[in-house]
Amino acid sequence: MTKKILVTGGAGFLGSHLCERLLVEGNDVLCVDNFFTGSKDNIAHLIGNPYFELIRHDVTFPLFVEVDQIYNLACPASPVHYQFDPVQTTKTSVHGAINMLGLAKRVKAQIFQASTSEVYGDPEIHPQTEDYWGRVNPIGIRSCYDEGKRCAETLFFDYWRQHKVDIKVARIFNTYGPRMHPNDGRVVSNFIVQALKGEDITIYGSGQQTRSFCYVDDLIEVIVRFMNASKDFVGPVNIGNPGEFTMLELAERVIALSGSKSKLVFKPLPSDDPKQRQPDIGLAKQELDWEPKVSLDDGLRQTIKYFETKI
Ligand code: NAD
Ligand code: UDP
Ligand code: UDP
């Protein structure tokens, strides 16, 4: 049966891939975005499809529509963008969550929240499991994002307990792929753009800090599985690729795969930058029968191909 599905942040990197996937499955998709970091280019190929609708709207304001499912992805995700207007970032996470939960409550829709590994802050346990409460600085430059997303999780669980809203909360670990914003400052897009332009590759700090990178197709698959899984499984659930790499290793792979002659340069490490990050995905494996399939090299090849067309 065709479902009416709202995707907030649908013109962004992850949102545009999700809209595409939901349309392929025969759903009626309503994309809501204020185009802060998203772009019409990401969804231009969907405009004209009678089952795709686009509304320019900021989720910090109420929204009255009738839908069966809501994927709440609206929020800038890269440090450069979420620190540009930090007050708006917190409003987007918190007021945005309240409005989307109010909507879900009124129309009895299922609602998915794109939470983040950032809720763990600079973690003391490794790899991170869902029962870890995190180590987050409440007053630092990343707090608008981390604490905003933590408060959004609180709201989701309170609407679930108090109003019986059908929630799904996923903690997304670093994800990359085509349609990342070329200037958004995230490490994968920065390194690829620098490598393709033959510019210096900027390593922040020693480059020994680690991240675990998931290719976008693997992530979209598990998001959709989660939304359609048993109502009793609400999360929070970690989703990401457990393969862990230092930023130096990532830079070396990008250089090798793009055939670049770029050199590494070292820049200061931004404050509160987590030293290590790797998801424990045991829960996602068990409950959703899912694990990522795309290797870092294969994913980087696809992403390099995309940026070649952009540069
Ligand atoms: P993105 O910046 O490409 O997408 C975010 C989208 O939300 C953009 O299209 C932007 O214009 C829109 N938006 C921002 N504020 C809005 C507002 N107030 N009202 C309406 N739209 C608004 O980032 P992304 O990587 O696609 O991230 C999508 C979601 O996934 C975010 O919530 C992010 O926090 C979460 N997430 C992403 C990652 C990752 O590695 N990509 C990791 C963890 C969590
Ligand atoms: N809301 C919305 N769309 C709806 C229903 C509610 O945007 O279809 C907003 C509403 O404006 C409110 C928020 O969601 O600010 C929370 O709604 P809820 O019903 O939980 O709280 P209340 O309206 O009682 O404050
Ligand atoms: N980073 C880097 N060079 C860059 C951009 C980022 O070394 O040009 C580092 C950054 O300091 C962090 C890691 O790469 O340690 C991942 O950064 P990103 O902003 O992609 O994600 P997040 O820190 O939010 O996980």
Side-chain angles (χ1 to χ4, degrees):
M1 224 185 64
T2 308
K3 288 195 196 81
K4 288 197 279 305
I5 305 183
L6 166 62
V7 179
T8 76
F13 160 50
L14 295 179
S16 61
H17 287 277
L18 180 61
C19 287
E20 219 169 52
R21 161 76 184 254
L22 296 171
L23 286 167
V24 167
E25 288 180 351
N27 299 293
D28 202 333
V29 175
L30 174 58
C31 167
V32 162
D33 207 296
N34 69 351
F35 297 110
F36 174 49
T37 53
S39 107
K40 284 196 183 157
D41 288 345
N42 288 341
I43 45 165
H45 60 297
L46 305 178
I47 292 171
N49 180 331
Y51 296 97
F52 181 74
E53 252 177 292
L54 172 63
I55 303 181
R56 180 190 289 266
H57 173 82
D58 182 326
V59 294
T60 63
F61 296 100
L63 176 69
F64 290 86
V65 291
E66 310 304 312
V67 290
D68 305 307
Q69 293 185 334
I70 304 166
Y71 289 89
N72 187 38
L73 273 63
C75 185
S78 84
V80 170
H81 283 139
Y82 70 64
Q83 288 162 12
F84 173 76
D85 185 350
V87 172
Q88 171 67 10
T89 299
T90 304
K91 283 185 188 169
T92 294
S93 278
V94 176
H95 293 187
I98 292 173
N99 287 328
M100 291 308 107
L101 285 160
L103 169 62
K105 185 180 99 181
R106 181 178 64 78
V107 301
K108 299 193 169 41
Q110 294 177 286
I111 180 165
F112 167 92
Q113 168 65 359
S115 191
T116 168
S117 53
E118 294 278 331
V119 301
Y120 299 124
D122 193 3
E124 299 118 315
I125 70 145
H126 194 73
Q128 291 80 55
T129 45
E130 289 84 353
D131 56 5
Y132 176 54
W133 289 357
R135 185 163 72 120
V136 174
N137 175 358
I139 58 166
I141 58 170
R142 292 175 88 99
S143 314
C144 59
Y145 185 72
D146 302 1
E147 295 288 23
K149 289 282 189 180
R150 285 169 68 96
C151 183
E153 286 199 8
T154 307
L155 285 160
F156 269 72
F157 278 83
D158 282 332
Y159 269 79
W160 175 62
R161 281 185 287 258
Q162 193 176 331
H163 297 304
K164 312 286 174 262
V165 171
D166 190 353
I167 64 158
K168 302 276 177 189
V169 175
R171 294 180 177 152
I172 304 172
F173 283 65
N174 298 59
T175 302
Y176 68 99
R179 302 202 197 122
M180 291 185 90
H181 195 301
N183 301 324
D184 81 358
R186 281 187 267 191
V187 69
V188 175
S189 45
N190 267 13
F191 284 4
I192 293 178
V193 170
Q194 289 161 346
L196 292 177
K197 289 185 170 169
E199 293 171 355
D200 290 341
I201 304 245
T202 51
I203 307 275
Y204 301 163
S206 66
Q208 294 300 336
Q209 71 272 34
T210 67
R211 293 291 186 277
S212 304
F213 298 103
C214 186
Y215 188 63
V216 59
D217 291 358
D218 282 330
L219 196 91
I220 298 300
E221 172 62 31
V222 69
I223 288 180
V224 174
R225 265 189 210 207
F226 183 27
M227 180 66 115
N228 296 295
S230 157
K231 193 174 151 72
D232 299 330
F233 182 52
V234 297
V237 60
N238 290 337
I239 54 179
N241 191 321
E244 187 183 1
F245 300 88
T246 67
M247 295 312 102
L248 284 174
E249 286 167 337
L250 178 70
E252 281 158 14
R253 279 170 182 245
V254 168
I255 289 175
L257 292 168
S258 61
S260 172
K261 295 196 168 47
S262 292
K263 302 270 173 300
L264 307 186
V265 289
F266 291 83
K267 302 259 177 180
L269 188 67
S271 64
D272 296 335
D273 198 280
K275 282 182 269 314
Q276 53 180 6
R277 190 180 292 148
Q278 184 195 41
D280 180 318
I281 59 165
L283 186 62
K285 270 189 194 161
Q286 182 193 310
E287 295 289 333
L288 306 171
D289 188 24
W290 169 87
E291 61 184 316
K293 293 195 173 73
V294 182
S295 69
L296 182 63
D297 281 1
D298 287 344
L300 286 176
R301 276 190 202 98
Q302 295 301 322
T303 314
I304 290 168
K305 236 188 259 170
Y306 167 79
F307 279 109
E308 276 168 347
T309 67
K310 288 271 148 191
I311 290 166

